[in-house]
Amino acid sequence: MNELMNLGFQPFFEDQLTQTEWTIGRIATASNGIYKILSGTGDIQGRLSGKFHHDVQTMRDFPCVGDWVLFKNLPNENKGIIQQVFKRKTLLSRQAAGDKQEEQLMAANIDTVFLVNALNKDFNLRRMERYLTQVYESGASPVFILTKKDLSPDAAEKVAAVESIAFGVPVLSINTFDQDDLTKVKTFIQSGKTISLIGSSGVGKSTLINSLLGYEIQKTGGVREEDSKGRHTTTHRELFVIPEGGIIIDTPGMRELQLWVDEETTSEAFQDIKKLATDCRFRDCKHLREPGCAIKNAIDLGTLAPERYQSYLKLQNEARFLDLKEEHGVHRAAKIQGKERRKQNNK
């Protein structure tokens, strides 16, 4: 059981164990129906049982990286048949590409998510707000890791900007090759706890993982000089065990994160706007032309950036559209949301 605890097996999962006929393992990679499973007795190549395939109803039912599973060992083979997925503690997911209402699972059972962003020309607060919103939806704890501070002459100013949108969220600015900075990052890594890294291409996720593992496991790529945007180096999600203790999951870089959230979750990442709204004169204030609107007043006074408020509205609209798509389908949802906007604008 100690080996499983080192892989992140916690009482939350142990309480779900009702039989010991099958073996416990954790999904390290998943590709085309083939899974790499880490267990107390070594690595296993796994696939799903026929019954499992028959019983699944949605994409969420399939195992993803970070999941705990029960599998049946095949005699005299280093292979196993997955029989069951444990109930997840947390789940990081996104909206799949295209018009179809479908969730794409990124990683499961994460304790802490490192939102990795670079302090270079690709620095983007609005993108960070999107990532933060998705982490809140997952149930994991967020930590901002701002890389390449040695290459940014205005690093302190950018760190302050991130702190202004990340209420109560730790914000670290680091040089990945500086041991003192790495020590700060390691304070968020504990034995038996799982962290995941998300961020755009070229922000230094793979370099950071290599530094934390103590050896090169992930390829690193260059950054285009004209816009500081990186090339994709990580092509799949993978779970690694850190020699000093802890588990880390890397994910491919994303230029644009399509959210899979509800409207309530977006408010968690915009606590300042949520608080301002409670100070409006009218409880049903739409923050358009109403007198006594605290949000409009804050924008006029310069205490709330209009870009941040527009970002909030955009994410709220996306979350609303997801809800409507699930209930009515994409075309009907577009009509309903268009009607809602026209009604708002005419008030």
Side-chain angles (χ1 to χ4, degrees):
M1 188 60 76
N2 284 339
E3 292 86 354
L4 293 177
M5 291 174 64
N6 291 336
L7 292 174
F9 199 68
Q10 301 169 7
F12 176 85
F13 307 109
E14 190 173 358
D15 291 344
Q16 300 176 45
L17 195 59
T18 57
Q19 59 86 30
T20 57
E21 177 187 353
W22 298 322
T23 306
I24 304 169
R26 193 170 191 190
I27 302 295
T29 63
S31 179
N32 299 320
I34 302 298
Y35 301 88
K36 177 182 176 182
I37 308 172
L38 306 185
S39 71
T41 57
D43 300 352
I44 298 291
Q45 184 188 92
R47 59 182 176 84
L48 300 174
S49 69
K51 183 179 185 304
F52 194 108
H53 275 292
H54 181 268
D55 292 342
V56 295
Q57 297 180 356
T58 68
M59 292 301 296
R60 185 174 280 223
D61 295 330
F62 285 97
C64 72
V65 174
D67 267 325
W68 284 97
V69 298
L70 288 173
F71 65 93
K72 181 179 180 180
N73 284 296
L74 295 180
N76 304 317
E77 295 188 63
N78 198 34
K79 296 180 180 180
I81 306 299
I82 297 172
Q83 307 290 331
Q84 179 184 328
V85 178
F86 284 75
K87 180 182 177 182
R88 295 164 177 136
K89 186 177 181 182
T90 61
L91 178 63
L92 186 63
S93 64
R94 60 186 285 187
Q95 162 71 27
D99 291 337
K100 190 176 181 181
Q101 174 76 1
E102 191 171 277
E103 182 181 24
Q104 182 183 42
L105 308 187
M106 298 169 66
N109 301 315
I110 305 159
D111 297 290
T112 301
V113 176
F114 286 172
L115 297 95
V116 186
N117 295 267
L119 293 166
N120 56 12
K121 295 177 184 177
D122 198 34
F123 182 82
N124 189 317
L125 277 178
R126 306 288 79 87
R127 188 189 302 136
M128 294 183 206
E129 289 168 343
R130 298 182 71 85
Y131 288 151
L132 184 58
T133 300
Q134 196 64 62
V135 174
Y136 279 132
E137 176 70 15
S138 76
S141 299
V143 175
F144 275 105
I145 306 292
L146 307 179
T147 62
K148 306 184 182 182
K149 73 174 185 181
D150 52 313
L151 303 178
S152 176
D154 56 349
E157 180 182 334
K158 289 177 177 176
V159 169
V162 176
E163 290 175 338
S164 73
I165 68 165
F167 304 96
V169 177
V171 179
L172 301 182
S173 63
I174 69 168
N175 171 2
T176 310
F177 301 103
D178 185 297
Q179 289 303 314
D180 290 337
D181 287 348
L182 278 179
T183 298
K184 295 176 185 176
V185 174
K186 289 177 181 178
T187 61
F188 294 94
I189 302 174
Q190 302 174 32
S191 179
K193 298 291 186 179
T194 303
I195 64 171
S196 180
L197 283 74
I198 62 172
S200 301
S201 303
V203 298
K205 294 191 290 92
S206 295
T207 302
L208 179 57
I209 284 182
N210 290 339
S211 297
L212 292 173
L213 291 175
Y215 56 94
E216 186 167 340
I217 193 73
Q218 297 289 69
K219 291 182 179 180
T220 58
V223 174
R224 295 200 301 264
E225 199 171 303
E226 64 271 17
D227 58 7
S228 293
K229 292 182 179 179
R231 302 175 179 87
H232 291 278
T233 51
T234 302
T235 57
H236 63 280
R237 299 168 186 88
E238 186 163 0
L239 180 149
F240 304 97
V241 179
I242 302 173
E244 297 176 5
I247 306 96
I248 192 166
I249 298 175
D250 193 14
T251 61
M254 297 174 288
R255 178 55 50 196
E256 182 70 18
L257 174 65
Q258 298 296 325
L259 295 180
W260 185 274
V261 299
D262 57 31
E263 291 177 83
E264 184 178 348
T265 302
T266 60
S267 296
E268 290 189 57
F270 293 86
Q271 296 175 31
D272 53 337
I273 294 176
K274 186 177 180 180
K275 184 177 184 303
L276 279 171
T278 63
D279 295 331
C280 291
R281 182 183 301 177
F282 301 107
R283 182 175 296 179
D284 61 346
C285 183
K286 303 299 181 185
H287 320 303
L288 296 170
R289 305 179 185 87
E290 298 89 342
C293 175
I295 288 178
K296 287 197 303 178
N297 186 49
I299 292 174
D300 292 341
L301 292 174
T303 56
L304 173 63
E307 297 84 3
R308 177 164 172 78
Y309 182 56
Q310 289 303 314
S311 178
Y312 168 74
L313 292 179
K314 181 180 180 181
L315 295 181
Q316 283 282 88
N317 285 334
E318 286 185 38
R320 171 65 174 158
F321 188 58
L322 278 173
D323 291 341
L324 289 173
K325 276 206 300 183
E326 186 172 4
E327 186 175 354
H328 303 287
V330 61
H331 298 298
R332 179 62 179 158
K335 289 183 179 180
I336 293 173
Q337 196 165 54
K339 185 177 180 179
E340 290 176 349
R341 288 173 182 167
R342 289 192 295 274
K343 186 176 179 180
Q344 262 194 354
N345 293 334
N346 290 332
K347 283 187 177 180

